[in-house]
């Protein structure tokens, strides 16, 4: 990289804003999937939207590809640099700019960690309901770019549903201020949607206005065991109809995954003993301080009487609520511990989840010999995470495992990515979940908004011109 090129970037960003040489530590090319092969030559750390605009305009002029980084917790290798790219890290753009408690809105810079936003809302007796295991490290910009889902989609929706407005910088440095602050605003195209879920390929998100909600006054969590999938479905229907919108999470863990969590995640304790087929975390958040706990307990009692569950414990304190959620959050860590293995984040109709373990184990084992499967996730959203691991002393047959799993997902009309995005890891399979016309429209948008292909090239689509997948 030319010295005068870096000098110009230093002029824009100042000394703190440009890292090169030894200062570019492994944290800038490591994500939960491991350390990438490419150590970037430079990391740009803008402190304002104006600086982002200037550096992108400069990179655009020089046709210099960039990759955008938030907290680097993404699970599809989208934020790791590839050859020839420099990093733009939003880590210095981490301020909460405004909270409007009456209207329930918060405006933040894109590098702000999710947990900081949650805590800011909490301090005003409000809630920013997006929640996921990586809350302490992931950024609002990364949440928006991947349209993150998480644990409370059943009640509040995905990041898209929590976003009022966005400010973004386009590939040529143009700042698009679409920081709408209204719930209702039908004035032409809803431009923020171009950036939400597009994984940094259409623009770099710099600020966002997000929705806040009244903080629920009660929170009760149960951890249950069930012996059949039909019983789990009956339980979900029962809890949904009894609790309505107060049902805030319904998370299911398959037996093998529960075993792995208890074995591999430090500090978690089994809320209910091993020995069942499914484990379910159910959460209610309501507003009736006097009656909610009793209502929840009555619903669970009915579920026990009707054999939907065979065992259950109910939280009696905040510490127990946290302990139950630690088991659920431990799923990501237990699955990560299976590496080398192949991870999936799929959407399915709930009916197809009944046979997932049997069908996939049969198909994978007939092709590959002994394979272990770990399954669990946001059942009520139709979203499961799974990890497949071929055992034995051999390299992981990644492509074969992916082909077999995604072929089945295609057969049952599922989606190859429910909430993690496509990144670089899943792009070869994108055509399995999107039609040719949808892919062509995506290509048209990318070409129109980033004709030089400098923004996150190769994420979602292959970098080759006119080639998707
Ligand atoms: C333990 C654990 C649990 C998780 N649980 C969930 C879960 O339940 N639900 C879920 O959806 N995800 C989950 N994830 C995945 C991950 O946390 C989310 O995808 C998160 O939203 C990524 O945020 P980030 O700031 O780390 O983004 P990064 O990893 O830094 O980036 C992700 C993508 O967004 C792009 N990007 C980042 N910032 C910007 C920006 N400002 N403008 C434009 N593009 C940008 C990057 O280039 C990259 O393509 C989990 C991850 C872990 C490690």
């Amino acid at each position: 990289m030319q010295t005068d090129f870096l000098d110009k970037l230093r002029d824009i960003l100042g000394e703190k804003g440009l890292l090169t040489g030894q200062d570019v530590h492994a944290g800038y090319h490591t994500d939960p999937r491991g350390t990438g092969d490419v150590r970037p030559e430079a990391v740009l750390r803008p402190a304002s939207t104006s600086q982002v605009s200037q550096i992108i305009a400069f990179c655009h002029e020089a046709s210099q590809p960039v990759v955008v980084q938030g907290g680097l917790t993404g699970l599809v290798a989208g934020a790791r640099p590839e050859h020839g790219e420099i990093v733009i890290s939003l880590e210095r753009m981490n301020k909460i700019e405004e909270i409007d408690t009456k209207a329930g809105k918060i405006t933040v810079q894109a590098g702000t960690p999710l947990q900081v936003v949650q805590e800011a809302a909490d301090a005003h007796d409000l809630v920013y309901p997006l929640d996921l295991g990586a809350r302490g490290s992931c950024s609002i910009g990364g949440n928006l770019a991947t349209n993150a889902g998480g644990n409370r989609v059943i009640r509040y929706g995905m990041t898209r549903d929590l976003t009022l407005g966005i400010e973004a910088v386009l590939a040529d440095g143009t700042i698009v201020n679409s920081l709408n602050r209204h719930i209702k605003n039908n004035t032409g195209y809803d431009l923020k949607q171009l950036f939400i879920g597009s994984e940094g390929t259409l623009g770099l998100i710099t600020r966002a206005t997000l929705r806040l909600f009244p903080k629920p006054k009660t929170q009760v969590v149960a951890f249950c065991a069930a012996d059949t999938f039909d019983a789990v479905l009956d339980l979900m229907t029962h809890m949904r109809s009894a609790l309505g919108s107060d049902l805030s999470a319904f998370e299911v863990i398959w037996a093998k995954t529960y075993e792995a969590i208890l074995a591999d995640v430090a500090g978690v304790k089994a809320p209910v003993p091993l020995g069942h087929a499914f484990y379910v975390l159910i959460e209610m958040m309501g507003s009736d301080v006097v009656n909610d706990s009793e209502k929840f307990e009555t619903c669970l009692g009915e579920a026990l009487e009707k054999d939907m569950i065979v065992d259950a414990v109910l939280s009696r304190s905040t510490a127990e609520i946290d302990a139950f959620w630690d088991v659920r959050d431990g799923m990501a860590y237990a699955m990560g511990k299976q590496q080398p293995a192949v991870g999936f984040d799929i959407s399915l109709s709930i009916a197809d989840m009944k046979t997932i373990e049997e069908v996939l184990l049969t198909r994978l084992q007939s092709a590959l010999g002994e394979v272990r499967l770990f399954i669990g996730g946001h059942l009520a959203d139709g979203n499961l995470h799974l990890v497949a691991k071929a055992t034995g002393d051999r390299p992981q047959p990644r492509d074969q495992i992916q082909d077999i799993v995604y072929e089945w997902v295609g057969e049952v009309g599922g989606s190859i990515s429910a909430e993690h995005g496509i990144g670089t890891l899943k792009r070869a399979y994108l055509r399995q979940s999107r039609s040719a016309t949808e892919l062509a429209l995506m290509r048209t948008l990318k070409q129109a908004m980033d004709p030089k292909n400098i923004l996150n090239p190769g994420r979602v689509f292959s970098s080759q011109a006119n080639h998707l997948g």
Side-chain angles (χ1 to χ4, degrees):
M1 193 161 288
Q2 304 280 339
T3 320
D4 53 350
F5 181 78
L6 292 177
D7 287 345
K8 171 73 184 170
L9 289 169
R10 193 175 286 107
D11 287 347
I12 298 169
L13 296 169
E15 285 301 328
K16 272 198 203 158
L18 177 73
L19 304 182
T20 55
Q22 291 310 310
D23 292 336
V24 179
H25 58 74
Y28 293 108
H29 55 115
T30 302
D31 65 16
R33 297 285 176 233
T35 302
D37 304 331
V38 180
R39 185 166 166 274
E41 265 192 68
V43 175
L44 316 187
R45 302 166 68 236
S48 66
T49 302
S50 158
Q51 286 188 350
V52 173
S53 163
Q54 291 175 65
I55 57 177
I56 292 197
F58 184 61
C59 289
H60 186 256
E61 206 181 296
S63 299
Q64 168 62 52
V66 300
V67 61
V68 188
Q69 290 182 355
L72 267 157
T73 68
L75 296 171
V76 289
R80 263 195 223 164
E82 302 272 328
H83 284 287
E85 293 172 359
I86 56 177
V87 165
I88 299 182
S89 167
L90 274 277
E91 62 194 342
R92 291 171 75 206
M93 292 185 61
N94 56 9
K95 289 177 195 58
I96 291 175
E97 296 190 342
E98 189 186 346
I99 301 192
D100 181 341
T101 53
K102 293 265 182 308
K105 296 171 215 164
I106 186 166
T107 299
V108 304
Q109 295 180 338
T112 311
L114 169 60
Q115 192 169 338
V116 171
V117 177
Q118 290 175 332
E119 285 169 1
D122 189 68
H124 291 277
D125 227 19
L126 294 165
V127 67
Y128 178 59
L130 180 69
D131 190 42
L132 40 109
R135 61 185 76 78
S137 317
C138 67
S139 69
I140 293 298
N143 299 158
L144 286 158
T146 59
N147 185 29
N151 298 332
R152 300 210 168 90
V153 172
I154 184 176
R155 173 155 171 182
Y156 294 100
M158 296 184 65
T159 301
R160 193 183 293 290
D161 304 299
L162 306 173
T163 310
L164 290 172
I166 270 180
E167 177 189 78
V169 176
L170 302 182
D172 65 357
T174 304
I175 300 169
V176 179
N177 185 335
S178 202
L179 270 180
N180 163 61
R181 288 173 162 83
H182 309 293
I183 290 174
K184 292 184 161 185
N185 187 352
N186 282 350
T187 48
Y189 300 158
D190 187 357
L191 295 174
K192 67 176 180 289
Q193 304 297 357
L194 286 173
F195 306 104
I196 302 175
S198 62
E199 298 182 50
T201 57
L202 300 181
L204 192 155
I205 298 161
T206 42
R207 290 193 294 161
T209 300
L210 308 167
R211 294 181 71 180
L212 302 178
F213 295 81
K215 189 156 113 190
K217 293 191 172 56
T218 63
Q219 181 185 21
V220 204
V221 177
F223 205 96
C224 316
D227 279 339
T228 66
F229 191 78
D230 286 338
V232 173
L233 288 192
D234 288 345
L235 176 67
M236 188 178 77
T237 309
H238 170 68
M239 296 312 274
R240 264 187 162 155
S241 96
L243 303 179
S245 62
D246 285 351
L247 179 66
S248 52
F250 191 94
E251 302 282 308
V252 180
I253 303 172
W254 269 242
K256 290 268 179 290
T257 315
Y258 189 56
E259 284 167 29
I261 294 169
L262 299 181
D264 294 336
V265 184
V268 298
K269 290 204 181 71
V272 294
L274 290 163
H276 302 285
F278 299 97
Y279 299 85
V280 189
L281 181 150
I282 310 169
E283 182 185 73
M284 173 192 187
M285 287 177 155
S287 53
D288 187 342
V289 182
V290 178
N291 296 311
D292 277 352
S293 281
E294 198 181 321
K295 182 176 171 186
F296 191 67
E297 198 166 347
T298 306
C299 291
L300 269 191
E302 289 164 359
L304 263 170
E305 266 170 36
K306 293 179 183 164
D307 295 328
M308 295 169 193
I309 47 179
V310 287
D311 199 354
V313 277
L314 201 60
S315 64
R316 299 285 176 203
S317 64
T318 310
E320 279 186 357
I321 290 174
D322 292 345
F324 294 173
W325 270 111
D326 284 348
V327 177
R328 165 59 187 89
D329 285 345
M331 192 170 86
Y333 295 98
M335 287 181 166
K337 272 219 155 183
Q338 306 306 321
Q339 295 297 336
V342 190
F344 299 89
D345 157 48
I346 53 179
S347 272
L348 297 168
S349 76
I350 293 179
D352 291 316
M353 294 179 182
K354 180 174 178 176
T355 53
I356 184 170
E357 189 169 33
E358 190 190 331
V359 172
L360 288 182
L361 268 184
T362 306
R363 291 189 184 190
L364 288 165
Q365 295 194 342
S366 67
L368 303 166
E370 188 59 28
V371 173
R372 297 179 71 197
L373 262 191
F374 302 88
I375 309 173
H378 319 288
L379 189 106
D381 310 331
N383 171 202
L384 290 183
H385 301 304
L386 66 115
V387 159
K389 181 179 178 66
T391 58
D393 190 15
R394 55 179 163 157
Q396 208 58 211
R398 172 171 290 277
D399 291 348
Q400 276 174 287
I401 292 178
Q402 291 195 143
D403 287 351
I404 291 167
V405 173
Y406 287 139
E407 189 183 314
W408 179 73
V409 172
E411 277 170 30
V412 297
S415 165
I416 64 150
S417 176
E419 57 178 9
H420 295 163
I422 298 297
T424 57
L425 292 187
K426 295 188 188 170
R427 66 184 174 211
Y429 298 92
L430 182 61
R431 61 184 69 235
Q432 217 144 327
S433 291
R434 291 308 194 112
S435 67
T437 42
E438 285 176 306
L439 293 172
L441 182 55
M442 288 189 203
R443 186 167 58 220
T444 304
L445 280 171
K446 174 71 176 167
Q447 175 64 28
M449 293 181 68
D450 182 15
K452 289 189 171 184
N453 195 23
I454 64 156
L455 289 182
N456 279 11
R459 279 69 176 183
V460 185
F461 319 124
S462 161
S463 280
Q464 288 169 350
N466 294 329
H467 181 272
L468 278 172

